[in-house]
Amino acid sequence: MRKMGIGIAALATTTLLLAGCSGSSTPAESDSAPDASGVTLTIWTDENRKPAIEAAAKTFEEETGGKIELVQKNFEDIRNDFTNQVPTGEGPDITIGAHDWLGSLVEAGVVSTLDLGDVADSFSQVSRDAFTYDGQLYALPYSQETIALIQNTDLVGEDAPATWDDAIAAGRAAGVERPIVINTAGQTGDAYTMYGFQTSFGAPVFVQDSSGGYTSEVGMGGEAGNAFAQWLGANGETGTGDISTTVDYDINNELFASGKAAYTVQGPWAVEALTAQGVNIKVNPIPSAGGETAAPFVGVQGFYISSQSKNALVAQEFLTNYLATYDAQKALYEADPRIPAWTELADEVSSDPVIAGFVASSENGVPMPNIPEMGSVWDLWNAAQVQIIKGADPVGTWDKMVTDLQATLG
């Protein structure tokens, strides 16, 4: 689907210039704070985030008399281990995790809701939406990431193209081999990367309700989905050739890095590879192909509380009064630089124009669906896009994909 991992850390040194920021560096006072003396909270974290959590844990221990036990785990193992161990009473009180785990965690009954109280507005709306399920918030967000349009400024300047056609025209005028390269994961397909263009036709993968949460109703059928499919075919291998199944992640990055392509759509994790040969870049929101705003997926990470925690009130106290502070969020950012969910900090690190571009793209974006049904989508969705890019009938192929997906979901 996509390569992730180093996040914005690949952007070299990010400036945090405002040492005297106005964000709160002291946990908020609470008249109704639970008694933490004699309580030990167990927190699962990965290696990157552990040092940042340690700082907040030390303050918590000094001020409350409680204890924090940090257990370092591989991030890839946390989801399954948490789901399996919480029902037995052996899991942690708190774990770090990704937002797209949420639906399955709720269905398994292993996470509790969380009240952010007065600090809620300190986090971006998209990060809170990402951790909301059936109208309830289930985690404290701390980071978010998305993809954006990246352009070679030596070839096409810094101005953001408003539309796909504008980008293609500018790329052709630059006289390069390819106006744009887009990773399709080769023959596998990459609907994640294509999603911004799809949403610009008004064809979301699932319909969202009035609270911003996802329903299980497939939203990419009908006229809007067919219009996207026709656009995909017109720009595919039997059309203009601007989208090709010969382009995987590494080929995509090499074509752009070598100056053979003017634009690409990638995430912050790819910036190091894209600039390795000296290309100067600008990051902008994804241009519209279908007339509406291109809304790429946003991935969010945060902290969940176990539904079986015997110290749930103390766990919430730690999250909302010790991790939901400017200093703690800054420490998390420095430990593993991704776009901060804490809006003040996101504004601050946007002094780096590359980060600012990804922040702007995330502001247009939507959370990747956190419902369990999302796991059934990728194979059918990716395969349909590959077939269309290779020249299959766009509408017939797309309609069959939607029908098959609806049947799979029941």
Side-chain angles (χ1 to χ4, degrees), residues 139-337:
L140 177 89
Y142 91 87
S143 75
Q144 56 195 46
E145 58 189 356
T146 193
I147 57 176
L149 184 75
I150 301 176
Q151 57 200 70
N152 182 326
T153 58
D154 294 327
L155 295 174
V156 292
E158 295 190 359
D159 291 343
T163 68
W164 167 270
D165 290 342
D166 291 342
I168 296 300
R172 295 205 194 289
V176 290
E177 181 179 312
R178 295 170 184 256
I180 191 168
V181 282
I182 297 181
N183 171 37
T184 67
Q187 301 291 319
T188 301
D190 188 357
Y192 175 90
T193 296
M194 297 300 303
Y195 193 61
F197 299 115
Q198 181 176 320
T199 54
S200 77
F201 286 87
V205 57
F206 287 111
V207 174
Q208 291 176 269
D209 60 26
S210 59
S211 71
Y214 284 96
T215 70
S216 59
E217 179 184 351
V218 178
M220 53 186 172
E223 292 183 5
N226 289 340
F228 167 70
Q230 290 170 323
W231 171 85
L232 189 62
N235 288 277
E237 294 168 7
T238 59
T240 64
D242 292 316
I243 302 173
S244 171
T245 60
T246 64
V247 179
D248 61 16
Y249 181 89
D250 293 325
I251 291 172
N252 179 99
N253 294 350
E254 173 59 27
L255 286 169
F256 184 88
S258 61
K260 295 178 180 177
Y263 297 92
T264 188
V265 175
Q266 268 288 17
W269 50 85
V271 167
E272 185 174 34
L274 296 173
T275 58
Q277 299 179 45
V279 166
N280 295 308
I281 66 168
K282 177 75 185 303
V283 180
N284 285 309
I286 296 171
S288 175
E292 299 185 24
T293 299
F297 281 135
V298 178
V300 183
Q301 292 193 5
F303 296 87
Y304 293 102
I305 296 177
S306 165
S307 63
Q308 298 302 309
S309 172
K310 295 180 175 61
N311 304 299
L313 291 177
V314 178
Q316 173 151 318
E317 172 77 4
F318 175 71
L319 292 184
T320 58
N321 279 338
Y322 291 86
L323 279 187
T325 69
Y326 172 85
D327 284 352
Q329 293 292 311
K330 179 178 177 180
L332 285 163
Y333 172 80
E334 291 174 334
D336 183 37

Side-chain angles (χ1 to χ4, degrees), residues 347-367:
D347 290 342
E348 182 181 332
V349 301
S350 291
S351 59
D352 182 317
V354 172
I355 297 177
F358 285 110
V359 171
S361 184
S362 73
E363 290 172 348
N364 288 343
V366 292

